Amino acid sequence: MPHSQPSPDQLTHKIPVGISACLLGENVRYNGGHSHSDYCDKILSHYFDYQKFCPEVAAGFGTPRPTLRLEGNPDNPRMVFSKNSEEDVSDVFMAASNKYLENLSHLDGYILMKKSPSCGMERIKVYQENGHPHMQRSAGLFTKALQQRYPLLPVEEDGRLNDPALRENFLLRVFTHHDFRHSLGEDAKMKDLIAFHSRYKYMVMAHSQPIYRKLGRMLSGNDKRPFNELKTAYFDILMTTLSKPAARKNHCNVLMHLVGYLKHAVDVSVRKDILDVVEQYRRGEVNLATPVTLLHHYLKHYGSEYINSQSYFIPYPSPLGIRNTV
Ligand code: SF4
C-alpha cells in the first residue's frame, strides 16, 4: 500500500535549490549589476530555500570585472577574459567551482542564469582563432561541471522558465527529486520503494507506459540486485523519464484510466461529462488543470486511499497555478 506522504501542498519546509546569485538581485555581474528574476525571487521563493552562488566571484575575479568568454574546442572549451585570450583562467575558475560542487548533494534543483560562459545551460558561444564562434555551442563551465557531477539533479535556466511546458517539467522534477530523497533515505527498505512506485504510477505513465512497466518489473522480486543498487537504478530511470515533458495524448490516457475508478461510484452521465472534458483537453480547448481538478474532486469523494495518494494530482504546489498554463 502507498505510504501517506505530504503532498507539495502540505510541505511545511522549503526545498533546497541552488541558484545563480545574480538572479536573486546580488550585484555580482561583470558590470557590477544583477539579473534579478521576479519569478524566482518573489514566487518560487515561497517554496524554495535558495542556496546562491556566483562562480566568477568565488574564483576571485572581482566585481566589476572584464567580461569572460569560452574559446577553443567546443567539447572542452577554455575560459579567458574577452580582451586577453592569452590568459587562460579555466583552472582558477574550475578550482573554485569544483570546491563548491563537492557539497551539493542535498539540493533538489538548480536555476541558472542564461547566456553566461559560467552559468549558461546551453547555446554558449565558443570563440575560435578567427574571432568567430564555432557552430557547436556549449554549456557554461560551472553548469557543465554541475551536470557532470549531479546528472539527475533537475537544472533549468531562468529564461526557459518562461516557457510553460519547460517550467512545468522543471517543477515536477524538483518536487519528485525531493520526494524520492525524503521517502527513500538511508534506512529505506524495498517496501518503501514499492510504496513510492505505487504513488507515482500515473505520473510515470503520463511520461511513458513502457517505462512504468519496466520499473514495475524491477520491483517485482525477479531483479536480484542488492536493494541500494536497485534504488539507484530506479531513481536514474525515473528522473531521466520525467525529464521530457509528458505529451497531451499520454495525459489523456492517464485521465481515461482515472475515470475508470469512478465506474461503480457515479452515474454514467457524470462519467460522460468528465470524459467530455478530457476530450476538450485533448483538442486543446482547456488546459490540464480543468480535467484533473474535476476528476480529483470526484475521486476525493468516491476514490480509494490508493488513488488519492497519486502524486499525479498534486505534483507541485497548487497555488503556483502551473497546470493552468499547460
Ligand atoms: S551568471 Fe553566474 S557567474 Fe555570472 S554573475 Fe550570475 S552567478 Fe555570477
Side-chain angles (χ1 to χ4, degrees), residues 8-199:
D9 280 352
Q10 296 165 327
L11 285 180
T12 52
H13 60 269
K14 294 186 181 184
I15 291 187
V17 169
I19 190 166
S20 298
C22 56
L23 291 172
L24 292 185
E26 295 281 308
N27 291 319
V28 289
R29 291 195 66 203
Y30 71 96
N31 59 5
H34 57 73
S35 306
H36 182 255
S37 158
D38 264 5
Y39 188 65
C40 293
D41 196 20
K42 298 200 175 142
I43 311 275
L44 293 181
S45 60
H46 290 118
Y47 309 100
F48 291 171
D49 181 17
Y50 285 127
Q51 185 168 321
K52 60 190 173 188
F53 180 66
C54 173
E56 292 179 16
V57 168
F61 295 158
T63 307
R65 57 187 169 274
T67 55
L68 292 152
R69 72 181 194 181
L70 301 184
E71 281 191 2
N73 179 354
D75 289 325
N76 186 24
R78 61 181 182 271
M79 179 176 271
V80 297
F81 285 108
S82 304
K83 289 197 175 145
N84 178 12
S85 62
E86 298 301 304
E87 193 187 357
D88 184 338
V89 294
S90 312
D91 288 350
V92 179
F93 179 84
M94 286 316 303
S97 288
N98 284 332
K99 186 157 177 262
Y100 183 72
L101 288 168
E102 275 170 24
N103 298 307
L104 298 185
S105 55
H106 61 292
L107 295 182
D108 287 308
Y110 214 109
I111 304 176
L112 294 145
M113 173 63 191
K114 65 184 172 187
K115 293 186 181 168
S116 156
S118 306
C119 294
M121 209 178 90
E122 56 180 22
R123 300 188 307 279
I124 305 303
K125 291 176 183 165
V126 181
Y127 287 88
Q128 304 301 293
E129 275 181 15
N130 62 12
H132 296 292
H134 196 283
M135 276 182 44
Q136 183 183 326
R137 301 290 151 107
S138 173
L141 294 196
F142 172 75
T143 301
K144 201 170 178 176
L146 172 73
Q147 291 188 294
Q148 271 164 5
R149 186 141 187 162
Y150 303 98
L152 302 182
L153 183 71
V155 164
E156 196 46 280
E157 279 185 347
D158 70 308
R160 285 165 46 104
L161 288 176
N162 294 324
D163 179 308
L166 297 178
R167 180 172 56 215
E168 192 272 345
N169 185 255
F170 175 65
L171 291 168
L172 173 85
R173 287 183 291 133
V174 169
F175 282 90
T176 301
H177 194 276
H178 183 73
D179 191 0
F180 189 90
R181 289 198 315 111
H182 275 249
S183 303
L184 288 133
E186 298 271 299
D187 303 332
K189 308 258 183 321
M190 191 63 181
K191 69 176 174 43
D192 301 309
L193 186 52
I194 290 171
F196 181 91
H197 183 63
S198 204
R199 285 194 293 116

Side-chain angles (χ1 to χ4, degrees), residues 143-306:
T143 301
K144 201 170 178 176
L146 172 73
Q147 291 188 294
Q148 271 164 5
R149 186 141 187 162
Y150 303 98
L152 302 182
L153 183 71
V155 164
E156 196 46 280
E157 279 185 347
D158 70 308
R160 285 165 46 104
L161 288 176
N162 294 324
D163 179 308
L166 297 178
R167 180 172 56 215
E168 192 272 345
N169 185 255
F170 175 65
L171 291 168
L172 173 85
R173 287 183 291 133
V174 169
F175 282 90
T176 301
H177 194 276
H178 183 73
D179 191 0
F180 189 90
R181 289 198 315 111
H182 275 249
S183 303
L184 288 133
E186 298 271 299
D187 303 332
K189 308 258 183 321
M190 191 63 181
K191 69 176 174 43
D192 301 309
L193 186 52
I194 290 171
F196 181 91
H197 183 63
S198 204
R199 285 194 293 116
Y200 276 75
K201 171 174 179 171
Y202 289 102
M203 169 94 83
V204 178
M205 274 178 67
H207 287 77
S208 170
Q209 290 215 24
I211 294 291
Y212 174 73
R213 288 194 290 274
K214 178 177 176 173
L215 290 173
R217 282 196 298 278
M218 279 172 69
L219 309 187
S220 67
N222 293 330
D223 192 321
K224 299 303 179 201
R225 281 179 283 183
F227 174 68
N228 276 339
E229 213 177 291
L230 205 58
K231 181 178 121 179
T232 304
Y234 180 98
F235 191 45
D236 194 322
I237 295 173
L238 174 75
M239 294 309 297
T240 305
T241 304
L242 297 185
S243 66
K244 195 165 162 247
R248 189 172 285 259
K249 73 171 173 23
N250 286 0
H251 275 300
C252 288
N253 286 344
V254 163
L255 293 166
M256 310 259 287
H257 263 96
L258 293 172
V259 175
Y261 283 89
L262 293 171
K263 197 166 176 188
H264 302 296
V266 301
D267 193 74
V268 67
S269 64
V270 173
R271 292 207 307 278
K272 183 176 175 310
D273 285 348
I274 299 172
L275 287 172
D276 284 347
V277 174
V278 174
E279 286 309 308
Q280 286 176 345
Y281 167 69
R282 192 192 298 277
R283 295 193 297 268
E285 295 163 12
V286 296
N287 52 43
L288 183 58
T290 309
V292 172
T293 307
L294 183 62
L295 251 171
H296 200 197
H297 167 81
Y298 279 101
L299 287 168
K300 273 196 267 190
H301 286 286
Y302 303 113
S304 61
E305 187 190 344
Y306 163 73

